[in-house]
Amino acid sequence: MNRTVLYMLTLGTFLTGFAELAVVGILPIISRDAGISIAQAGQLVAAFSLGFAVGTPVFVSLTQRMSRRRLLAGALLVFAAGSLLSYTSDAYAAMLALRAVLGASAGVYLTTALGALPKLLPADRLGRAMSTVMMAFGAASVLGAPAGIALAEGWSWQGMYLLLGAGALLVMLAVLRLMPETEGDAPVGFGRQFAVLGRPALAAGLLMSLLFSSGIALLNTYFVPFLQDVLGLRTSYTGLTMLLLGLAGTLATRFGGGAADKRGPSAVIVRSLTAMAVALALMPLATYAFSSAAGGLVSGIAVSAAWMLAYSVAIPAIQTYFVRIAPESANIVLGLNTSLLHLGVAIGSLTGGLLADASSTVRYHPWAALAFGLLSLSAGLVSFAKGVRTPAPD
């Protein structure tokens, strides 16, 4: 496989990842323009993640025998159609449905792209290629919120969908023209995929991952309203603040991967989740720590940054933990974990929306995120204990 094909797959990954989080930074703008509450706007994030979590394993299972080239092109075509329809849709129900379509097609694309790499590359180049593709997804997560803000302020937030649709069509044409034909995979039934849940260490670990993602999404989805309405950050500084926090989180993710290799993933996870819990407990208090509004803003952003750095360090450690605890079924476990992470985003976004509706504020979201974080840490400790005592089956 030449570099052009790899970069083509990477660009498609960036586009599909960008679609997920670009709306996070513009929830207040969507709320205003669409005439809906901030909680209803937040459900657009939940719809995408739910489509990813539920739709991906179903459609991937149904298309296992299909050529990877055709499946990638098909996923991009559906993604492009969903994006272009989203550009023209202003009804809330249609917006939700189309977000779910985007999530499912993005999940199928990402899963298929990663699964195609071993068929296209020699083993000694596979790790670097996979890291390149996944870095594109991480970069999209970092740039999504600030880029969404910039697009909304300079053009319109719907314009984001027009660009995504056009980009997906271009990548689809490149896939059809440049990617060699690649056979599908041998079918793996749902029973085998979920059989790993019979191992207590894996079941508890996946629960840890679900709760971890839920807690992050609960606050992260409504983080821009939290910055503006609770901490008092000016709208003009929001995009830059989100960009700086995202870049810091990217560096922390790279650090977390290295730390997991050196110190062991379980140790990194425990320390990161503990640091997350401390930061979330301090976050609401930080806004009252100083008498001046500026002091409250600075302390609130500092504690928020500590929370983001902590969960960014944990993300690669959790992935590494699953590979180490279940090397014989790593692909299945990582696939389940990916779906659960996105299901967690949906749960967190929905919970955050309900809390915002009930309290008419996002002031209490850190406390709710803290509850999820403590539950995640508890499930992780159970998994680590079971993992030591229970050997992997032959």
Side-chain angles (χ1 to χ4, degrees):
M1 181 178 74
N2 60 40
R3 290 184 178 274
T4 303
V5 176
L6 176 60
Y7 294 150
M8 171 191 68
L9 294 177
T10 301
L11 177 58
T13 300
F14 178 84
L15 292 173
T16 55
F18 185 91
E20 181 171 16
L21 292 178
V23 301
V24 169
I26 54 176
L27 291 186
I29 300 174
I30 295 175
S31 172
R32 180 198 66 205
D33 291 353
I36 56 179
S37 70
I38 195 72
Q40 288 176 307
Q43 303 322 306
L44 296 174
V45 179
F48 186 103
S49 299
L50 197 59
F52 194 115
V54 177
T56 300
V58 173
F59 289 115
V60 167
S61 180
L62 293 174
T63 56
Q64 289 176 90
R65 293 186 181 277
M66 186 181 294
S67 157
R68 303 297 89 179
R69 174 172 168 267
R70 290 174 56 198
L71 185 54
L72 284 169
L76 287 167
L77 179 60
V78 173
F79 182 85
S83 298
L84 295 175
L85 287 172
S86 296
Y87 175 69
T88 61
S89 299
D90 53 9
Y92 181 63
M95 291 164 63
L96 281 177
L98 289 169
R99 289 288 295 176
V101 169
L102 290 177
S105 57
V108 171
Y109 176 85
L110 177 61
T111 303
T112 305
L114 291 174
L117 290 178
K119 302 175 185 293
L120 298 170
L121 288 166
D124 61 345
R125 294 175 55 195
L126 182 59
R128 290 192 296 272
M130 284 197 168
S131 65
T132 299
V133 173
M134 290 310 298
M135 279 183 65
F137 198 85
S141 301
V142 170
L143 296 174
I149 293 172
L151 280 171
E153 292 178 348
W155 183 17
S156 72
W157 62 269
Q158 294 96 331
M160 164 189 70
Y161 289 118
L162 185 61
L163 295 177
L164 287 171
L169 287 176
L170 289 176
V171 176
M172 182 196 73
L173 293 175
V175 166
L176 291 174
R177 181 177 178 81
L178 300 175
M179 185 172 174
E181 283 290 349
T182 310
E183 294 181 355
D185 299 325
V188 178
F190 281 108
R192 182 182 169 191
Q193 292 183 46
F194 290 102
V196 296
L197 296 178
R199 291 181 57 187
L202 279 175
L206 290 168
L207 178 60
M208 170 192 70
S209 193
L210 174 67
L211 293 167
F212 168 80
S213 178
S214 298
I216 292 172
L218 191 151
L219 179 57
N220 216 15
T221 301
Y222 300 93
F223 192 60
V224 168
F226 182 81
L227 287 174
Q228 295 176 350
D229 300 341
V230 178
L231 297 184
L233 182 68
R234 292 181 181 177
T235 303
S236 57
Y237 294 137
T238 302
L240 177 60
T241 301
M242 293 293 290
L243 178 61
L244 294 176
L245 289 173
L247 291 174
T250 301
L251 295 176
T253 299
R254 294 188 66 85
F255 170 79
D261 289 337
K262 293 179 181 178
R263 302 176 184 176
S266 58
V268 175
I269 292 170
V270 169
R271 293 173 186 176
S272 297
L273 294 187
T274 301
M276 280 177 57
V278 172
L280 287 169
L282 292 176
M283 197 179 296
L285 302 177
T287 60
Y288 303 105
F290 296 89
S291 58
S292 69
L297 175 61
V298 170
S299 61
I301 291 179
V303 176
S304 299
W307 167 67
M308 285 189 168
L309 292 174
Y311 79 65
S312 297
V313 168
I315 290 172
I318 291 174
Q319 301 281 11
T320 304
Y321 173 68
F322 286 126
V323 172
R324 289 196 181 183
I325 198 175
E328 74 289 345
S329 53
N331 288 337
I332 294 175
V333 175
L334 290 177
L336 276 174
N337 185 53
T338 299
S339 290
L340 287 175
L341 285 173
H342 283 82
L343 180 60
V345 173
I347 292 172
S349 300
L350 288 169
T351 305
L354 292 173
L355 181 58
D357 271 343
S359 61
S360 300
T361 180
V362 295
R363 182 179 296 277
Y364 308 113
H365 281 53
W367 296 115
L370 173 60
F372 276 102
L374 292 175
L375 290 172
S376 177
L377 177 58
S378 300
L381 292 174
V382 171
S383 178
F384 304 148
K386 295 290 185 181
V388 171
R389 297 173 187 170
T390 308
D394 296 331

